[in-house]
Amino acid sequence: MEFQNTREFARQLDANDKLAKYRDEFIFPHVNGKQVIYFTGNSLGLQPKRTKAYVDEVMDDWGKLAVEGHFYADKPWWDYHERFAAPLSKIVGALPSEVTVMNTLTVNLHLMMVTFYQPTQKRFKIICEEKAFPSDQYMIKSQVKFHGYDPEDAIVEIKRRPGEHNIRHEDVINTIKEVGDELALVLMGGVNYYTGQVFDIKAITKAGQDAGAYVGWDLAHGAGNIHLELHEWDVDFAAWCSYKYMNSGPGNASGAFVHERHHNDMDLPRFAGWWGHNKERRFLMEPQFDPIRGANGWQVSCLPVLSLAPYLASVEMFDEVGMPALIQKRDLITSYLEYVLHEIDKEVNGNFEVITPSEPKERASQISVYLHGEGRSLFDYLMENGVITDWREPNVIRLAPVPLYCSFEDMYEFGQILKAGIQSHK
Ligand SMILES: *Cc1c(COP(=O)(O)O)cnc(C)c1O
């Protein structure tokens, strides 16, 4: 499609957008009395209007029923999480038994590593990407030390080549081959939080498993954003947070995936708790742990139902929309944003560089822009003028044109504000 950097053209794209009506489902902050242009749905998604009713329902049941709510609420609390199995499994491409909701993301990755990182003298190395999200780096290092290994020996980071912003796929595959029979685990972010680069999860999973390792994915920026087929791709495990693209509220419950082939393997170590115990016999309070045969068997504690309520509202919305429609709009609006950026750069010599891959297969709902010029003060100008982006050192703003609630006109309008900002800084 030939794009144009005009309001009329952007409005035309909005008029043809089948998801446009979902914009009204969200609550937008205001700056100077004007609804903001929100680009930080990859950090904290906006609040859907329907969410409050889900939370109120739990609050009301708690008031009316107290402890009886566990079994007699309209949506009983004791198996509230099972409502996620069908819709959430579609979002990540899993069987319903392969997904669960519990804890928060880093905690879930720790629990998964208890199971899937079993280093031996010979096979003890972990491959991850250079500059992974800090929580992942801390987590991996602490697990390695916990097992008595030195992170310097055990952690192999895949690096960017000098002068390049993204990691090359062939470098991932070659590193896996090189580490070979010393490789215990590959654990990477499916979408890099900084550049928005999307990795080839299927091919990397296969390469890691061919080397004899387990392969797991941190899908913090993947769930609700990219096409996933975790079951078909044979991924061993994955976990994600729900507060970024999945709009379930600050710090909210995470989701996890464990491939079906591990469900009956009772030799795999895991940290157990009563919520992972055989559901039919849970309340018999027996001493012997008998795990649920499914991802739910990795649960530990009874569930934070008040946190799950907004997550359920969100998952049901995603189920209505469907990932294919979401991805279709995502690609168009991301390309349009990229186009607008280049047009503004040409008009006012903005001196910025898009560091997200230009190949649509290697990116999703994010454009990261490296500001060679004004930097931080331009970011502040955008915020003051109602464009919410985020700033990452040394000089990067990240823009997530989230397809559920961003409009094409937002992209055009953003371009105009950016242009005025650059001009006022010259
Ligand atoms: C956001 C994010 C996290 C956050 O972890 P929490 O445990 O939810 O605080 C972890 N990893 C990645 C890759 C992220 O993008």
Side-chain angles (χ1 to χ4, degrees):
M1 187 187 297
E2 267 309 303
F3 289 141
Q4 293 168 26
N5 187 25
T6 63
R7 190 177 299 279
E8 294 65 43
F9 184 81
R11 283 191 174 158
Q12 197 52 47
L13 288 174
D14 283 324
N16 293 333
D17 171 17
K18 290 194 203 72
L19 301 192
K21 63 174 195 269
Y22 279 93
R23 183 172 168 88
D24 265 352
E25 290 246 5
F26 288 87
I27 304 172
F28 285 77
H30 287 71
V31 168
N32 304 326
K34 230 179 83 208
Q35 178 172 313
V36 300
I37 298 172
Y38 197 71
F39 278 124
T40 43
N42 55 352
S43 185
L44 181 71
L46 291 179
Q47 182 183 139
K49 291 176 185 164
R50 60 172 85 175
T51 296
K52 196 162 180 304
Y54 285 67
V55 178
D56 286 348
E57 183 183 29
V58 179
M59 292 298 285
D60 291 346
D61 285 338
W62 177 23
K64 282 199 291 247
L65 300 167
V67 72
E68 297 281 274
H70 281 299
F71 294 104
Y72 299 111
D74 271 350
K75 298 186 185 119
W77 306 330
W78 82 293
D79 60 0
Y80 195 94
H81 58 286
E82 291 183 6
R83 294 171 189 278
F84 289 78
L88 188 56
S89 62
K90 279 193 253 168
I91 295 168
V92 298
L95 305 177
S97 66
E98 290 174 322
V99 295
T100 190
V101 287
M102 56 183 185
N103 313 310
T104 42
L105 172 56
T106 310
V107 171
N108 282 340
L109 288 171
H110 272 299
L111 291 178
M112 292 294 125
M113 285 190 75
V114 165
T115 298
F116 294 104
Y117 181 55
Q118 289 301 313
T120 61
Q121 220 47 23
K122 171 94 185 126
R123 205 181 259 287
F124 63 99
K125 292 194 175 171
I126 301 178
I127 286 181
C128 61
E129 80 272 31
E130 178 193 41
K131 291 201 206 148
F133 193 82
S135 197
D136 297 34
Q137 297 183 39
Y138 309 152
M139 169 195 60
I140 293 173
K141 274 191 199 141
S142 69
Q143 285 273 345
V144 164
K145 285 197 212 158
F146 174 76
H147 285 283
Y149 293 84
D150 181 352
E152 290 287 322
D153 302 331
I155 301 173
V156 180
E157 290 192 344
I158 301 161
K159 305 227 183 300
R160 288 158 184 80
R161 297 190 188 184
E164 296 187 5
H165 292 296
N166 293 290
I167 290 175
R168 293 205 196 182
H169 178 69
E170 73 240 45
D171 291 351
V172 181
I173 301 297
N174 289 336
T175 308
I176 289 172
K177 285 187 184 147
E178 272 161 37
V179 179
D181 57 10
E182 291 182 340
L183 185 61
L185 175 67
V186 178
L187 178 51
M188 292 175 54
V191 181
N192 183 267
Y193 81 98
Y194 189 76
T195 60
Q197 179 182 15
V198 177
F199 290 100
D200 185 340
I201 295 177
K202 182 181 179 186
I204 295 170
T205 299
K206 175 152 191 337
Q209 290 169 346
D210 285 349
Y214 288 121
V215 182
W217 293 90
D218 177 341
L219 297 176
H221 288 257
N225 181 25
I226 63 173
H227 172 72
L228 293 166
E229 290 183 47
L230 298 180
H231 176 80
E232 282 300 311
W233 297 341
D234 256 339
V235 165
D236 289 294
F237 69 91
W240 53 90
C241 50
S242 64
Y243 50 80
K244 291 175 180 166
Y245 290 98
M246 297 209 56
N247 314 317
S248 83
N252 219 335
S254 160
F257 164 92
V258 181
H259 199 280
E260 186 185 33
R261 68 178 169 282
H262 302 304
H263 293 180
N264 290 309
D265 184 349
M266 295 304 135
D267 294 333
L268 285 173
R270 69 176 101 186
F271 283 172
W274 72 321
W275 233 250
H277 185 78
N278 180 342
K279 187 182 152 189
E280 311 307 327
R281 305 185 65 83
R282 180 178 301 144
F283 298 104
L284 300 179
M285 306 305 208
E286 299 162 327
Q288 198 57 36
F289 179 59
D290 174 21
I292 296 167
R293 307 300 194 259
N296 285 334
W298 272 262
Q299 293 201 339
V300 180
S301 294
C302 66
L303 289 158
V305 178
L306 278 168
S307 297
L308 294 186
Y311 195 1
L312 186 61
S314 159
V315 161
E316 291 184 352
M317 187 191 288
F318 272 80
D319 197 34
E320 255 169 57
V321 174
M323 287 307 291
L326 197 85
I327 286 170
Q328 200 180 13
K329 175 171 177 189
R330 179 201 73 189
D331 286 346
L332 190 61
I333 198 168
T334 308
S335 300
Y336 190 57
L337 171 61
E338 184 187 37
Y339 163 82
V340 167
L341 279 164
H342 287 313
E343 289 302 298
I344 300 301
D345 195 17
K346 273 191 267 173
E347 279 181 41
V348 292
N349 194 10
N351 201 12
F352 45 76
E353 180 188 0
V354 171
I355 62 171
T356 302
S358 54
E359 174 62 49
K361 270 208 308 265
E362 289 177 35
R363 71 179 187 201
S365 181
Q366 181 173 324
I367 299 280
S368 296
V369 184
Y370 197 103
L371 303 171
H372 289 288
E374 298 78 5
R376 182 90 204 187
S377 62
L378 181 57
F379 165 78
D380 292 338
Y381 178 91
L382 292 174
M383 294 294 273
E384 283 155 18
N385 285 277
V387 181
I388 312 298
T389 72
D390 81 10
W391 175 261
R392 286 287 174 268
E393 295 297 333
N395 233 10
V396 167
I397 57 170
R398 300 187 304 166
L399 307 165
V402 171
L404 268 180
Y405 48 73
C406 290
S407 69
F408 291 91
E409 192 172 356
D410 280 347
M411 303 304 115
Y412 169 78
E413 185 66 27
F414 159 67
Q416 296 307 302
I417 297 171
L418 178 67
K419 182 160 93 179
I422 292 168
Q423 282 167 336
S424 75
H425 280 79
K426 289 219 176 243

Short mmCIF file of all heavy atoms in Angstrom, two decimals, residues 274-305:
data_model
loop_
_atom_site.label_atom_id
_atom_site.label_comp_id
_atom_site.label_asym_id
_atom_site.label_seq_id
_atom_site.Cartn_x
_atom_site.Cartn_y
_atom_site.Cartn_z
N TRP A 274 0.16 -26.89 47.39
CA TRP A 274 -1.12 -27.61 47.37
C TRP A 274 -1.98 -27.29 46.15
O TRP A 274 -2.81 -28.08 45.75
CB TRP A 274 -1.89 -27.38 48.68
CG TRP A 274 -2.49 -26.01 48.89
CD1 TRP A 274 -1.94 -24.82 48.57
CD2 TRP A 274 -3.75 -25.74 49.50
NE1 TRP A 274 -2.77 -23.80 48.95
CE2 TRP A 274 -3.90 -24.33 49.53
CE3 TRP A 274 -4.77 -26.53 50.05
CZ2 TRP A 274 -5.03 -23.70 50.06
CZ3 TRP A 274 -5.88 -25.89 50.58
CH2 TRP A 274 -6.01 -24.50 50.58
N TRP A 275 -1.77 -26.11 45.52
CA TRP A 275 -2.61 -25.80 44.35
C TRP A 275 -2.19 -26.58 43.11
O TRP A 275 -2.92 -26.63 42.12
CB TRP A 275 -2.68 -24.30 44.11
CG TRP A 275 -4.10 -23.84 44.04
CD1 TRP A 275 -4.75 -23.40 42.90
CD2 TRP A 275 -5.08 -23.81 45.08
NE1 TRP A 275 -6.06 -23.11 43.19
CE2 TRP A 275 -6.29 -23.35 44.53
CE3 TRP A 275 -5.06 -24.15 46.45
CZ2 TRP A 275 -7.46 -23.20 45.27
CZ3 TRP A 275 -6.22 -23.99 47.19
CH2 TRP A 275 -7.40 -23.53 46.61
N GLY A 276 -1.03 -27.20 43.16
CA GLY A 276 -0.61 -28.06 42.05
C GLY A 276 -1.04 -29.51 42.25
O GLY A 276 -0.82 -30.36 41.39
N HIS A 277 -1.66 -29.77 43.38
CA HIS A 277 -2.03 -31.14 43.74
C HIS A 277 -3.34 -31.55 43.07
O HIS A 277 -4.23 -30.71 42.86
CB HIS A 277 -2.19 -31.21 45.27
CG HIS A 277 -2.45 -32.59 45.81
ND1 HIS A 277 -1.45 -33.53 45.95
CD2 HIS A 277 -3.59 -33.18 46.24
CE1 HIS A 277 -1.98 -34.63 46.47
NE2 HIS A 277 -3.27 -34.46 46.64
N ASN A 278 -3.42 -32.81 42.72
CA ASN A 278 -4.64 -33.44 42.20
C ASN A 278 -5.89 -32.76 42.74
O ASN A 278 -6.19 -32.80 43.94
CB ASN A 278 -4.59 -34.91 42.66
CG ASN A 278 -5.80 -35.70 42.20
OD1 ASN A 278 -6.83 -35.12 41.83
ND2 ASN A 278 -5.66 -37.01 42.22
N LYS A 279 -6.62 -32.14 41.80
CA LYS A 279 -7.73 -31.27 42.17
C LYS A 279 -8.84 -31.99 42.95
O LYS A 279 -9.40 -31.46 43.91
CB LYS A 279 -8.28 -30.71 40.85
CG LYS A 279 -9.31 -29.68 40.95
CD LYS A 279 -9.74 -29.30 39.53
CE LYS A 279 -11.16 -28.83 39.55
NZ LYS A 279 -11.71 -28.66 38.21
N GLU A 280 -9.13 -33.21 42.53
CA GLU A 280 -10.23 -33.95 43.16
C GLU A 280 -9.90 -34.28 44.62
O GLU A 280 -10.78 -34.47 45.44
CB GLU A 280 -10.51 -35.28 42.43
CG GLU A 280 -10.64 -35.16 40.91
CD GLU A 280 -11.64 -34.10 40.48
OE1 GLU A 280 -12.63 -33.91 41.20
OE2 GLU A 280 -11.39 -33.43 39.44
N ARG A 281 -8.61 -34.40 44.91
CA ARG A 281 -8.23 -34.84 46.25
C ARG A 281 -7.57 -33.74 47.08
O ARG A 281 -7.12 -33.99 48.20
CB ARG A 281 -7.26 -36.04 46.13
CG ARG A 281 -7.85 -37.18 45.28
CD ARG A 281 -6.95 -38.41 45.27
NE ARG A 281 -6.83 -39.02 46.57
CZ ARG A 281 -7.71 -39.89 47.09
NH1 ARG A 281 -8.77 -40.23 46.40
NH2 ARG A 281 -7.51 -40.40 48.28
N ARG A 282 -7.56 -32.52 46.52
CA ARG A 282 -6.82 -31.44 47.19
C ARG A 282 -7.27 -31.25 48.64
O ARG A 282 -6.47 -31.09 49.54
CB ARG A 282 -6.99 -30.14 46.41
CG ARG A 282 -6.25 -28.97 47.04
CD ARG A 282 -6.41 -27.70 46.20
NE ARG A 282 -5.91 -27.88 44.85
CZ ARG A 282 -6.46 -27.33 43.77
NH1 ARG A 282 -7.51 -26.56 43.89
NH2 ARG A 282 -5.94 -27.54 42.59
N PHE A 283 -8.57 -31.27 48.83
CA PHE A 283 -9.08 -30.92 50.16
C PHE A 283 -9.14 -32.11 51.12
O PHE A 283 -9.61 -32.00 52.23
CB PHE A 283 -10.41 -30.19 50.04
CG PHE A 283 -10.27 -28.90 49.27
CD1 PHE A 283 -10.68 -28.79 47.96
CD2 PHE A 283 -9.65 -27.80 49.86
CE1 PHE A 283 -10.51 -27.61 47.24
CE2 PHE A 283 -9.46 -26.62 49.16
CZ PHE A 283 -9.90 -26.52 47.84
N LEU A 284 -8.61 -33.25 50.66
CA LEU A 284 -8.45 -34.38 51.59
C LEU A 284 -7.18 -34.17 52.42
O LEU A 284 -6.94 -34.89 53.38
CB LEU A 284 -8.36 -35.70 50.83
CG LEU A 284 -9.61 -36.03 49.98
CD1 LEU A 284 -9.44 -37.35 49.24
CD2 LEU A 284 -10.86 -36.06 50.85
N MET A 285 -6.39 -33.20 52.03
CA MET A 285 -5.20 -32.81 52.79
C MET A 285 -4.24 -33.98 53.03
O MET A 285 -3.75 -34.19 54.14
CB MET A 285 -5.62 -32.18 54.14
CG MET A 285 -6.59 -31.03 54.03
SD MET A 285 -6.02 -29.70 52.97
CE MET A 285 -6.81 -28.26 53.65
N GLU A 286 -4.02 -34.74 51.96
CA GLU A 286 -3.12 -35.90 52.08
C GLU A 286 -1.66 -35.46 52.10
O GLU A 286 -1.31 -34.44 51.51
CB GLU A 286 -3.33 -36.82 50.87
CG GLU A 286 -4.74 -37.37 50.79
CD GLU A 286 -5.09 -37.91 49.41
OE1 GLU A 286 -4.60 -37.38 48.40
OE2 GLU A 286 -5.86 -38.88 49.36
N PRO A 287 -0.79 -36.26 52.71
CA PRO A 287 0.62 -35.85 52.82
C PRO A 287 1.41 -36.02 51.51
O PRO A 287 2.41 -35.34 51.30
CB PRO A 287 1.18 -36.78 53.90
CG PRO A 287 0.29 -37.98 53.88
CD PRO A 287 -1.06 -37.50 53.46
N GLN A 288 0.99 -36.92 50.62
CA GLN A 288 1.77 -37.24 49.43
C GLN A 288 1.37 -36.35 48.25
O GLN A 288 0.21 -36.33 47.87
CB GLN A 288 1.53 -38.72 49.08
CG GLN A 288 2.57 -39.32 48.16
CD GLN A 288 3.99 -39.22 48.71
OE1 GLN A 288 4.22 -39.33 49.92
NE2 GLN A 288 4.94 -38.97 47.83
N PHE A 289 2.33 -35.61 47.67
CA PHE A 289 2.03 -34.70 46.55
C PHE A 289 1.76 -35.49 45.27
O PHE A 289 2.57 -36.31 44.85
CB PHE A 289 3.21 -33.75 46.34
CG PHE A 289 3.03 -32.77 45.21
CD1 PHE A 289 1.97 -31.87 45.20
CD2 PHE A 289 3.94 -32.73 44.15
CE1 PHE A 289 1.81 -30.95 44.17
CE2 PHE A 289 3.79 -31.81 43.12
CZ PHE A 289 2.73 -30.92 43.12
N ASP A 290 0.60 -35.23 44.69
CA ASP A 290 0.22 -35.91 43.45
C ASP A 290 -0.13 -34.82 42.42
O ASP A 290 -1.24 -34.33 42.39
CB ASP A 290 -1.01 -36.80 43.75
CG ASP A 290 -1.57 -37.42 42.48
OD1 ASP A 290 -0.85 -37.52 41.47
OD2 ASP A 290 -2.76 -37.81 42.51
N PRO A 291 0.86 -34.42 41.60
CA PRO A 291 0.64 -33.24 40.77
C PRO A 291 -0.44 -33.42 39.70
O PRO A 291 -0.59 -34.52 39.15
CB PRO A 291 2.00 -33.01 40.10
CG PRO A 291 2.78 -34.25 40.27
CD PRO A 291 2.22 -34.99 41.44
N ILE A 292 -1.15 -32.35 39.45
CA ILE A 292 -2.08 -32.30 38.33
C ILE A 292 -1.28 -32.57 37.07
O ILE A 292 -0.17 -32.06 36.91
CB ILE A 292 -2.72 -30.89 38.25
CG1 ILE A 292 -3.55 -30.60 39.49
CG2 ILE A 292 -3.55 -30.74 36.97
CD1 ILE A 292 -3.95 -29.14 39.62
N ARG A 293 -1.85 -33.36 36.16
CA ARG A 293 -1.14 -33.65 34.91
C ARG A 293 -1.43 -32.54 33.91
O ARG A 293 -2.35 -32.61 33.11
CB ARG A 293 -1.57 -35.01 34.33
CG ARG A 293 -1.48 -36.18 35.29
CD ARG A 293 -0.05 -36.39 35.80
NE ARG A 293 0.09 -37.70 36.44
CZ ARG A 293 0.09 -37.93 37.74
NH1 ARG A 293 -0.06 -36.92 38.60
NH2 ARG A 293 0.23 -39.16 38.21
N GLY A 294 -0.66 -31.49 34.01
CA GLY A 294 -0.86 -30.33 33.14
C GLY A 294 -0.06 -29.17 33.70
O GLY A 294 0.57 -29.31 34.76
N ALA A 295 -0.10 -28.05 33.00
CA ALA A 295 0.66 -26.89 33.49
C ALA A 295 0.19 -26.48 34.88
O ALA A 295 0.97 -25.97 35.69
CB ALA A 295 0.50 -25.72 32.51
N ASN A 296 -1.08 -26.75 35.19
CA ASN A 296 -1.58 -26.42 36.53
C ASN A 296 -0.83 -27.18 37.64
O ASN A 296 -0.87 -26.79 38.79
CB ASN A 296 -3.08 -26.73 36.64
CG ASN A 296 -3.92 -25.68 35.92
OD1 ASN A 296 -3.49 -24.55 35.77
ND2 ASN A 296 -5.11 -26.08 35.48
N GLY A 297 -0.18 -28.26 37.26
CA GLY A 297 0.60 -29.02 38.24
C GLY A 297 1.84 -28.28 38.72
O GLY A 297 2.52 -28.74 39.63
N TRP A 298 2.14 -27.14 38.09
CA TRP A 298 3.27 -26.31 38.55
C TRP A 298 2.81 -25.18 39.47
O TRP A 298 3.60 -24.38 39.93
CB TRP A 298 4.04 -25.75 37.35
CG TRP A 298 5.13 -26.69 36.88
CD1 TRP A 298 6.45 -26.62 37.19
CD2 TRP A 298 4.99 -27.84 36.04
NE1 TRP A 298 7.14 -27.65 36.61
CE2 TRP A 298 6.26 -28.42 35.89
CE3 TRP A 298 3.91 -28.47 35.41
CZ2 TRP A 298 6.50 -29.57 35.14
CZ3 TRP A 298 4.13 -29.61 34.66
CH2 TRP A 298 5.40 -30.15 34.53
N GLN A 299 1.49 -25.14 39.73
CA GLN A 299 1.02 -24.11 40.65
C GLN A 299 1.48 -24.42 42.07
O GLN A 299 1.70 -25.58 42.42
CB GLN A 299 -0.51 -24.04 40.61
CG GLN A 299 -1.02 -23.55 39.27
CD GLN A 299 -2.42 -23.00 39.35
OE1 GLN A 299 -3.15 -23.33 40.28
NE2 GLN A 299 -2.79 -22.19 38.40
N VAL A 300 1.60 -23.37 42.85
CA VAL A 300 2.08 -23.54 44.21
C VAL A 300 0.99 -23.16 45.21
O VAL A 300 0.52 -23.99 45.99
CB VAL A 300 3.36 -22.70 44.45
CG1 VAL A 300 3.86 -22.89 45.88
CG2 VAL A 300 4.46 -23.10 43.46
N SER A 301 0.57 -21.90 45.13
CA SER A 301 -0.36 -21.37 46.14
C SER A 301 -1.77 -21.21 45.58
O SER A 301 -1.95 -21.13 44.36
CB SER A 301 0.11 -19.99 46.59
OG SER A 301 1.33 -20.07 47.27
N CYS A 302 -2.73 -21.06 46.47
CA CYS A 302 -4.07 -20.71 46.02
C CYS A 302 -3.98 -19.36 45.32
O CYS A 302 -3.05 -18.60 45.52
CB CYS A 302 -5.07 -20.70 47.18
SG CYS A 302 -4.79 -19.43 48.41
N LEU A 303 -4.97 -19.10 44.46
CA LEU A 303 -4.75 -18.04 43.47
C LEU A 303 -5.25 -16.67 43.90
O LEU A 303 -6.24 -16.56 44.62
CB LEU A 303 -5.42 -18.47 42.16
CG LEU A 303 -4.62 -19.62 41.56
CD1 LEU A 303 -5.46 -20.44 40.61
CD2 LEU A 303 -3.38 -19.10 40.87
N PRO A 304 -4.58 -15.62 43.44
CA PRO A 304 -5.00 -14.25 43.73
C PRO A 304 -6.17 -13.88 42.82
O PRO A 304 -5.98 -13.30 41.76
CB PRO A 304 -3.76 -13.42 43.39
CG PRO A 304 -3.05 -14.21 42.33
CD PRO A 304 -3.38 -15.66 42.57
N VAL A 305 -7.36 -14.24 43.24
CA VAL A 305 -8.53 -14.11 42.36
C VAL A 305 -8.78 -12.65 41.97
O VAL A 305 -9.18 -12.37 40.84
CB VAL A 305 -9.77 -14.74 43.04
CG1 VAL A 305 -11.01 -14.57 42.17
CG2 VAL A 305 -9.51 -16.22 43.28
#
